[in-house]
Coordinates of all heavy atoms in Angstrom, one line a residue:
M1 N 213.6 -52.5 44.7 CA 212.3 -53.2 45.0 C 211.2 -52.6 44.3 O 210.3 -53.3 43.8 CB 212.1 -53.1 46.6 CG 210.9 -53.8 47.0 SD 211.2 -55.6 46.8 CE 209.9 -56.2 47.8
R2 N 211.1 -51.3 44.2 CA 210.1 -50.6 43.4 C 210.1 -51.0 42.0 O 209.1 -51.2 41.3 CB 210.1 -49.1 43.6 CG 209.6 -48.6 44.8 CD 209.6 -47.1 44.8 NE 208.8 -46.5 45.9 CZ 208.6 -45.3 46.1 NH1 209.1 -44.4 45.3 NH2 207.8 -44.9 47.0
L3 N 211.3 -51.1 41.4 CA 211.5 -51.4 40.0 C 210.9 -52.8 39.8 O 210.3 -53.1 38.8 CB 212.9 -51.3 39.6 CG 213.2 -51.6 38.2 CD1 212.5 -50.6 37.3 CD2 214.7 -51.5 37.9
M4 N 211.2 -53.7 40.7 CA 210.7 -55.1 40.6 C 209.2 -55.2 40.6 O 208.6 -55.8 39.8 CB 211.3 -56.0 41.7 CG 211.0 -57.5 41.5 SD 211.9 -58.5 42.7 CE 210.8 -58.4 44.1
I5 N 208.6 -54.4 41.5 CA 207.1 -54.4 41.6 C 206.6 -53.8 40.4 O 205.6 -54.3 39.8 CB 206.7 -53.6 42.9 CG1 207.1 -54.4 44.1 CG2 205.2 -53.3 42.9 CD1 206.9 -53.7 45.4
A6 N 207.2 -52.7 39.9 CA 206.7 -52.1 38.7 C 206.8 -53.0 37.5 O 205.8 -53.1 36.7 CB 207.5 -50.8 38.4
A7 N 207.9 -53.8 37.4 CA 208.0 -54.7 36.3 C 207.0 -55.8 36.4 O 206.4 -56.2 35.4 CB 209.4 -55.3 36.3
M8 N 206.7 -56.3 37.6 CA 205.7 -57.4 37.8 C 204.3 -56.8 37.4 O 203.5 -57.6 36.8 CB 205.8 -57.9 39.2 CG 207.0 -58.7 39.5 SD 207.3 -59.2 41.2 CE 205.6 -59.5 41.8
T9 N 204.0 -55.6 37.8 CA 202.7 -55.0 37.5 C 202.6 -54.9 36.0 O 201.5 -55.2 35.5 CB 202.6 -53.7 38.2 OG1 202.7 -53.9 39.6 CG2 201.2 -53.1 38.0
L10 N 203.6 -54.4 35.3 CA 203.5 -54.2 33.9 C 203.3 -55.6 33.2 O 202.5 -55.7 32.3 CB 204.8 -53.5 33.4 CG 204.9 -53.3 31.9 CD1 203.7 -52.4 31.5 CD2 206.2 -52.6 31.5
A11 N 204.1 -56.6 33.6 CA 203.9 -57.9 33.0 C 202.5 -58.4 33.2 O 201.9 -59.0 32.3 CB 205.0 -58.9 33.6
L12 N 202.0 -58.2 34.4 CA 200.6 -58.7 34.7 C 199.6 -58.0 33.9 O 198.7 -58.6 33.3 CB 200.3 -58.5 36.2 CG 198.9 -58.8 36.7 CD1 198.6 -60.3 36.5 CD2 198.7 -58.5 38.1
T13 N 199.7 -56.7 33.8 CA 198.7 -55.9 33.0 C 198.9 -56.3 31.5 O 197.9 -56.3 30.8 CB 198.9 -54.4 33.2 OG1 200.2 -54.0 33.0 CG2 198.4 -54.0 34.6
A14 N 200.1 -56.5 31.0 CA 200.3 -56.9 29.6 C 199.6 -58.2 29.3 O 198.9 -58.4 28.3 CB 201.7 -56.9 29.3
S15 N 199.8 -59.2 30.3 CA 199.2 -60.5 30.0 C 197.7 -60.4 30.1 O 197.0 -61.1 29.4 CB 199.8 -61.5 31.0 OG 199.5 -61.3 32.3
L16 N 197.2 -59.6 31.1 CA 195.8 -59.5 31.2 C 195.2 -58.7 30.1 O 194.0 -59.0 29.6 CB 195.4 -58.8 32.6 CG 195.7 -59.7 33.8 CD1 195.5 -58.8 35.1 CD2 194.9 -60.9 33.8
A17 N 195.9 -57.8 29.5 CA 195.4 -57.0 28.4 C 195.3 -58.0 27.2 O 194.4 -57.9 26.4 CB 196.4 -55.9 28.0
H18 N 196.3 -58.9 27.0 CA 196.2 -59.9 25.9 C 195.0 -60.8 26.1 O 194.3 -61.1 25.2 CB 197.5 -60.7 25.9 CG 197.5 -61.7 24.8 ND1 197.4 -61.3 23.4 CD2 197.4 -63.0 24.8 CE1 197.4 -62.4 22.7 NE2 197.4 -63.5 23.5
A19 N 194.8 -61.2 27.4 CA 193.6 -62.1 27.7 C 192.3 -61.3 27.4 O 191.4 -61.9 26.9 CB 193.7 -62.6 29.1
A20 N 192.3 -60.0 27.8 CA 191.1 -59.2 27.6 C 190.9 -59.0 26.1 O 189.7 -59.0 25.7 CB 191.3 -57.9 28.3
D21 N 192.0 -58.9 25.4 CA 191.8 -58.7 23.9 C 191.1 -59.9 23.3 O 190.2 -59.8 22.5 CB 193.2 -58.6 23.3 CG 193.2 -58.3 21.8 OD1 192.3 -57.6 21.3 OD2 194.0 -58.9 21.1
A22 N 191.5 -61.1 23.7 CA 190.9 -62.3 23.2 C 189.5 -62.4 23.6 O 188.6 -62.8 22.8 CB 191.7 -63.6 23.6
T23 N 189.2 -62.1 24.9 CA 187.8 -62.1 25.4 C 187.0 -61.1 24.7 O 185.8 -61.4 24.3 CB 187.8 -61.9 26.9 OG1 188.7 -62.8 27.5 CG2 186.5 -61.9 27.5
C24 N 187.5 -59.9 24.5 CA 186.7 -58.9 23.9 C 186.4 -59.2 22.4 O 185.3 -58.9 21.9 CB 187.4 -57.5 24.0 SG 187.5 -56.9 25.7
E25 N 187.4 -59.8 21.7 CA 187.2 -60.2 20.4 C 186.1 -61.3 20.3 O 185.3 -61.3 19.4 CB 188.5 -60.8 19.8 CG 189.6 -59.7 19.5 CD 189.3 -58.9 18.3 OE1 188.5 -59.3 17.4 OE2 189.9 -57.8 18.2
A26 N 186.1 -62.2 21.3 CA 185.1 -63.3 21.3 C 183.7 -62.7 21.5 O 182.7 -63.1 20.9 CB 185.5 -64.3 22.4
K27 N 183.7 -61.7 22.4 CA 182.4 -61.1 22.7 C 181.8 -60.4 21.5 O 180.6 -60.4 21.2 CB 182.5 -60.1 23.9 CG 182.6 -60.8 25.2 CD 182.7 -59.7 26.3 CE 182.9 -60.3 27.7 NZ 183.1 -59.3 28.7
A28 N 182.7 -59.7 20.8 CA 182.3 -59.0 19.5 C 181.8 -60.0 18.5 O 180.9 -59.7 17.8 CB 183.5 -58.2 19.0
A29 N 182.5 -61.1 18.4 CA 182.1 -62.2 17.5 C 180.7 -62.7 17.9 O 179.9 -63.0 17.0 CB 183.1 -63.3 17.4
D30 N 180.5 -62.9 19.2 CA 179.2 -63.4 19.6 C 178.1 -62.4 19.3 O 177.0 -62.8 19.0 CB 179.2 -63.6 21.1 CG 180.0 -64.8 21.6 OD1 180.4 -65.6 20.7 OD2 180.4 -64.9 22.8
K31 N 178.4 -61.1 19.3 CA 177.4 -60.1 19.0 C 177.3 -59.9 17.5 O 176.5 -59.0 17.0 CB 177.8 -58.8 19.7 CG 177.6 -58.9 21.2 CD 178.1 -57.5 21.8 CE 177.9 -57.5 23.3 NZ 176.7 -57.0 23.8
K32 N 178.1 -60.6 16.7 CA 178.2 -60.5 15.3 C 178.5 -59.0 14.8 O 177.9 -58.5 13.9 CB 176.9 -61.0 14.7 CG 176.6 -62.5 14.9 CD 175.3 -62.9 14.3 CE 175.1 -64.4 14.5 NZ 175.4 -65.1 15.7
L33 N 179.4 -58.4 15.5 CA 179.8 -57.0 15.2 C 180.9 -57.1 14.1 O 181.7 -58.0 14.0 CB 180.4 -56.3 16.4 CG 179.4 -56.1 17.5 CD1 180.1 -55.5 18.7 CD2 178.2 -55.2 17.1
A34 N 180.9 -56.1 13.2 CA 181.9 -56.0 12.2 C 182.3 -54.5 12.0 O 181.5 -53.6 12.3 CB 181.4 -56.6 10.9
G35 N 183.4 -54.3 11.4 CA 183.8 -53.0 11.0 C 184.0 -52.0 12.1 O 184.6 -52.4 13.2
A36 N 183.6 -50.8 12.0 CA 183.8 -49.8 13.0 C 183.1 -50.1 14.3 O 183.6 -49.8 15.4 CB 183.2 -48.4 12.5
A37 N 181.9 -50.8 14.2 CA 181.2 -51.1 15.4 C 182.0 -52.1 16.3 O 182.1 -52.0 17.5 CB 179.8 -51.7 15.1
K38 N 182.6 -53.1 15.6 CA 183.5 -54.1 16.2 C 184.7 -53.4 16.9 O 185.0 -53.6 18.0 CB 183.9 -55.2 15.3 CG 184.9 -56.2 15.9 CD 185.4 -57.2 14.9 CE 186.4 -58.1 15.5 NZ 187.0 -59.0 14.5
N39 N 185.4 -52.5 16.1 CA 186.5 -51.8 16.6 C 186.2 -51.0 17.8 O 187.0 -51.0 18.8 CB 187.2 -51.0 15.5 CG 187.7 -51.8 14.4 OD1 188.0 -53.0 14.5 ND2 187.9 -51.1 13.2
S40 N 185.1 -50.3 17.8 CA 184.7 -49.5 18.9 C 184.4 -50.3 20.1 O 184.8 -50.0 21.3 CB 183.5 -48.6 18.5 OG 183.0 -47.9 19.6
F41 N 183.7 -51.4 19.9 CA 183.3 -52.3 21.0 C 184.5 -52.9 21.7 O 184.7 -52.9 22.9 CB 182.4 -53.4 20.5 CG 182.1 -54.4 21.6 CD1 181.0 -54.2 22.5 CD2 182.8 -55.6 21.7 CE1 180.8 -55.1 23.5 CE2 182.5 -56.5 22.7 CZ 181.5 -56.3 23.6
V42 N 185.5 -53.4 20.9 CA 186.7 -54.0 21.4 C 187.5 -53.0 22.2 O 188.0 -53.3 23.2 CB 187.5 -54.7 20.3 CG1 188.8 -55.2 20.7 CG2 186.7 -55.9 19.7
K43 N 187.7 -51.8 21.6 CA 188.4 -50.8 22.3 C 187.9 -50.5 23.6 O 188.6 -50.4 24.6 CB 188.5 -49.5 21.4 CG 189.4 -48.4 22.0 CD 189.5 -47.3 21.0 CE 190.3 -46.2 21.5 NZ 190.4 -45.0 20.6
K44 N 186.5 -50.3 23.7 CA 185.9 -49.9 25.0 C 186.0 -51.1 26.0 O 186.3 -51.0 27.1 CB 184.4 -49.6 24.8 CG 183.8 -49.2 26.1 CD 182.3 -48.8 25.9 CE 181.6 -48.4 27.2 NZ 181.8 -49.2 28.3
C45 N 185.8 -52.3 25.4 CA 185.9 -53.5 26.3 C 187.3 -53.7 26.9 O 187.4 -54.0 28.1 CB 185.6 -54.7 25.4 SG 185.7 -56.3 26.3
E46 N 188.3 -53.4 26.1 CA 189.7 -53.6 26.6 C 190.0 -52.5 27.6 O 190.7 -52.7 28.6 CB 190.7 -53.5 25.4 CG 190.7 -54.7 24.6 CD 191.5 -54.5 23.3 OE1 191.9 -53.4 23.0 OE2 191.7 -55.5 22.6
K47 N 189.5 -51.3 27.4 CA 189.7 -50.2 28.4 C 189.0 -50.5 29.7 O 189.6 -50.3 30.8 CB 189.2 -48.9 27.8 CG 189.4 -47.7 28.6 CD 188.9 -46.4 27.9 CE 189.2 -45.2 28.8 NZ 188.7 -44.0 28.2
D48 N 187.8 -51.0 29.6 CA 187.1 -51.4 30.8 C 187.8 -52.5 31.6 O 187.8 -52.5 32.8 CB 185.6 -51.8 30.5 CG 184.8 -50.6 30.0 OD1 185.2 -49.5 30.2 OD2 183.7 -50.9 29.5
A49 N 188.3 -53.5 30.8 CA 189.0 -54.6 31.5 C 190.3 -54.1 32.2 O 190.6 -54.5 33.3 CB 189.4 -55.6 30.4
A50 N 191.0 -53.2 31.5 CA 192.2 -52.6 32.2 C 191.9 -51.8 33.4 O 192.6 -52.0 34.4 CB 192.9 -51.7 31.2
K51 N 190.8 -51.1 33.4 CA 190.4 -50.3 34.6 C 190.0 -51.3 35.7 O 190.4 -51.1 36.9 CB 189.1 -49.5 34.3 CG 189.4 -48.2 33.6 CD 188.1 -47.4 33.5 CE 188.4 -46.1 32.8 NZ 187.3 -45.2 32.7
S52 N 189.3 -52.3 35.4 CA 189.0 -53.3 36.4 C 190.2 -54.0 37.0 O 190.3 -54.2 38.2 CB 188.0 -54.4 35.8 OG 187.7 -55.4 36.8
T53 N 191.1 -54.4 36.2 CA 192.3 -55.0 36.6 C 193.2 -54.1 37.5 O 193.7 -54.5 38.5 CB 193.2 -55.5 35.4 OG1 192.4 -56.4 34.6 CG2 194.4 -56.2 35.8
C54 N 193.3 -52.9 37.0 CA 194.1 -51.9 37.8 C 193.5 -51.6 39.2 O 194.2 -51.5 40.2 CB 194.3 -50.6 37.0 SG 195.3 -50.9 35.5
A55 N 192.2 -51.5 39.2 CA 191.5 -51.2 40.5 C 191.6 -52.4 41.4 O 191.9 -52.2 42.6 CB 190.0 -50.9 40.2
T56 N 191.6 -53.6 40.9 CA 191.7 -54.8 41.7 C 193.2 -54.9 42.3 O 193.3 -55.2 43.4 CB 191.4 -56.1 40.9 OG1 190.1 -56.0 40.4 CG2 191.6 -57.3 41.7
T57 N 194.1 -54.6 41.4 CA 195.5 -54.6 41.9 C 195.8 -53.6 43.0 O 196.4 -53.8 43.9 CB 196.5 -54.4 40.7 OG1 196.2 -55.3 39.7 CG2 197.9 -54.5 41.1
A58 N 195.2 -52.4 42.8 CA 195.3 -51.3 43.8 C 194.7 -51.8 45.1 O 195.2 -51.5 46.2 CB 194.7 -50.0 43.3
A59 N 193.6 -52.4 45.0 CA 192.9 -52.9 46.3 C 193.8 -54.0 46.9 O 193.9 -54.0 48.2 CB 191.5 -53.5 45.9
D60 N 194.3 -54.9 46.1 CA 195.2 -55.9 46.7 C 196.4 -55.3 47.4 O 196.9 -55.9 48.4 CB 195.7 -56.9 45.6 CG 194.6 -57.7 45.0 OD1 193.5 -57.8 45.6 OD2 194.8 -58.3 43.9
K61 N 196.9 -54.2 46.9 CA 198.0 -53.5 47.5 C 197.6 -52.6 48.7 O 198.5 -52.0 49.3 CB 198.8 -52.7 46.5 CG 199.5 -53.5 45.4 CD 200.2 -52.6 44.4 CE 200.9 -53.4 43.4 NZ 202.2 -52.8 43.1
K62 N 196.3 -52.6 48.9 CA 195.7 -51.8 50.0 C 196.1 -50.3 49.9 O 196.4 -49.6 50.8 CB 196.2 -52.3 51.4 CG 195.7 -53.7 51.7 CD 196.2 -54.2 53.0 CE 195.6 -55.5 53.4 NZ 195.7 -56.7 52.6
L63 N 196.0 -49.8 48.6 CA 196.3 -48.4 48.4 C 195.0 -47.6 48.6 O 193.9 -48.1 48.4 CB 196.8 -48.2 46.9 CG 198.1 -48.9 46.6 CD1 198.4 -48.7 45.1 CD2 199.2 -48.3 47.4
A64 N 195.1 -46.4 49.0 CA 194.0 -45.5 49.2 C 194.3 -44.1 48.8 O 195.5 -43.7 48.8 CB 193.5 -45.6 50.6
G65 N 193.3 -43.3 48.5 CA 193.5 -41.9 48.3 C 194.3 -41.6 47.0 O 194.2 -42.2 46.0
A66 N 195.3 -40.6 47.2 CA 196.1 -40.2 46.1 C 197.0 -41.3 45.6 O 197.2 -41.4 44.4 CB 196.9 -39.0 46.5
A67 N 197.5 -42.1 46.5 CA 198.4 -43.2 46.0 C 197.6 -44.2 45.1 O 198.1 -44.7 44.1 CB 198.9 -44.0 47.2
K68 N 196.3 -44.5 45.5 CA 195.5 -45.4 44.7 C 195.2 -44.7 43.3 O 195.3 -45.4 42.3 CB 194.2 -45.6 45.4 CG 193.2 -46.5 44.6 CD 191.9 -46.7 45.4 CE 190.9 -47.5 44.6 NZ 189.6 -47.6 45.3
N69 N 194.8 -43.5 43.3 CA 194.5 -42.8 42.1 C 195.7 -42.7 41.1 O 195.6 -43.0 39.9 CB 194.0 -41.4 42.3 CG 192.7 -41.4 43.0 OD1 191.9 -42.4 43.0 ND2 192.3 -40.3 43.7
S70 N 196.9 -42.4 41.7 CA 198.1 -42.4 40.9 C 198.5 -43.7 40.4 O 198.8 -43.9 39.2 CB 199.3 -41.9 41.8 OG 200.5 -41.9 41.1
F71 N 198.3 -44.8 41.2 CA 198.7 -46.1 40.7 C 197.7 -46.5 39.6 O 198.2 -47.1 38.6 CB 198.5 -47.1 41.9 CG 198.7 -48.5 41.5 CD1 200.0 -49.1 41.3 CD2 197.6 -49.3 41.2 CE1 200.2 -50.4 40.8 CE2 197.8 -50.6 40.7 CZ 199.1 -51.2 40.6
I72 N 196.4 -46.3 39.8 CA 195.5 -46.7 38.7 C 195.7 -46.0 37.4 O 195.7 -46.6 36.4 CB 194.0 -46.5 39.2 CG1 193.7 -47.5 40.3 CG2 193.0 -46.6 38.1 CD1 192.4 -47.3 41.0
K73 N 196.0 -44.7 37.5 CA 196.3 -43.9 36.3 C 197.5 -44.4 35.6 O 197.5 -44.6 34.4 CB 196.5 -42.4 36.7 CG 196.7 -41.5 35.5 CD 196.8 -40.0 36.0 CE 197.0 -39.1 34.8 NZ 197.0 -37.7 35.2
K74 N 198.6 -44.7 36.3 CA 199.8 -45.2 35.7 C 199.5 -46.6 35.1 O 200.0 -47.0 34.1 CB 200.9 -45.3 36.7 CG 202.2 -45.7 36.0 CD 203.4 -45.7 37.0 CE 204.7 -46.1 36.4 NZ 204.7 -47.2 35.4
C75 N 198.8 -47.4 35.9 CA 198.5 -48.8 35.5 C 197.7 -48.8 34.2 O 198.1 -49.6 33.2 CB 197.8 -49.5 36.6 SG 197.3 -51.2 36.2
E76 N 196.7 -48.0 34.1 CA 195.9 -47.9 32.9 C 196.8 -47.4 31.7 O 196.6 -47.9 30.5 CB 194.7 -47.0 33.1 CG 193.7 -47.6 34.0 CD 192.6 -46.6 34.4 OE1 192.6 -45.5 33.9 OE2 191.7 -47.1 35.1
K77 N 197.6 -46.4 31.9 CA 198.5 -45.9 30.9 C 199.4 -47.0 30.4 O 199.6 -47.2 29.2 CB 199.3 -44.7 31.4 CG 200.2 -44.1 30.4 CD 201.0 -42.9 31.0 CE 202.0 -42.3 30.0 NZ 202.8 -41.2 30.6
D78 N 200.0 -47.7 31.3 CA 200.9 -48.8 30.9 C 200.2 -49.9 30.2 O 200.7 -50.5 29.2 CB 201.6 -49.4 32.2 CG 202.6 -48.5 32.8 OD1 203.0 -47.5 32.2 OD2 203.0 -48.7 34.0
A79 N 199.0 -50.2 30.6 CA 198.2 -51.2 29.9 C 197.8 -50.8 28.5 O 197.9 -51.6 27.6 CB 196.9 -51.5 30.7
A80 N 197.5 -49.5 28.3 CA 197.2 -49.0 27.0 C 198.4 -49.0 26.1 O 198.3 -49.3 24.9 CB 196.7 -47.5 27.1
A81 N 199.6 -48.7 26.7 CA 200.8 -48.7 25.9 C 201.2 -50.2 25.5 O 201.6 -50.4 24.4 CB 202.0 -48.1 26.7
G82 N 200.9 -51.1 26.4 CA 201.2 -52.5 26.1 C 200.2 -53.1 25.1 O 200.5 -54.0 24.4
A83 N 199.0 -52.6 25.1 CA 197.9 -53.1 24.2 C 198.0 -52.5 22.8 O 197.6 -53.1 21.9 CB 196.5 -52.8 24.8
A84 N 198.7 -51.4 22.7 CA 198.8 -50.7 21.4 C 199.5 -51.6 20.4 O 199.0 -51.8 19.2 CB 199.4 -49.4 21.5
P85 N 200.7 -52.2 20.7 CA 201.3 -53.1 19.7 C 200.5 -54.3 19.4 O 200.5 -54.8 18.3 CB 202.6 -53.5 20.4 CG 202.9 -52.4 21.4 CD 201.5 -51.9 21.8
A86 N 199.8 -54.8 20.4 CA 199.0 -56.0 20.2 C 197.8 -55.7 19.2 O 197.4 -56.5 18.4 CB 198.5 -56.6 21.5
A87 N 197.2 -54.5 19.4 CA 196.1 -54.1 18.6 C 196.5 -53.9 17.1 O 195.7 -54.1 16.2 CB 195.5 -52.8 19.1
S88 N 197.8 -53.6 16.8 CA 198.2 -53.4 15.5 C 198.5 -54.6 14.7 O 198.7 -54.6 13.5 CB 199.4 -52.5 15.4 OG 200.5 -53.1 16.1
K89 N 198.5 -55.8 15.4 CA 198.8 -57.1 14.8 C 197.6 -57.5 13.9 O 196.5 -57.3 14.2 CB 199.1 -58.1 15.8 CG 200.5 -57.9 16.4 CD 200.8 -59.0 17.4 CE 202.1 -58.8 18.0 NZ 202.5 -59.8 19.0

C-alpha cells in the first residue's frame, strides 16, 4: 500500500513539475527574461511550485510534525529528481 501511495505521489509531483515548468517558462517570457536571469527565475519558480505542491499534499494527507516535514522533504527531493531530466531537454 505504501509503495502504491509513493508511486502515485511521485507521478503527481512529476506531472505538476512539468506543468510548473511550462508555467514558469511562460512567466519568464512575459517578463522578457533571457540567459542567466531566465534560468535563475525558472529554477526558483519551479522550486517554489514544488514546495507549494508538496505542502498541499501533506495537508491533504493530514500529516503533522515530523511526519509532515519528512514527507515534504522527500516530496521536494523526488520532484527535483523528476524535473532534472525535463530541464535538460
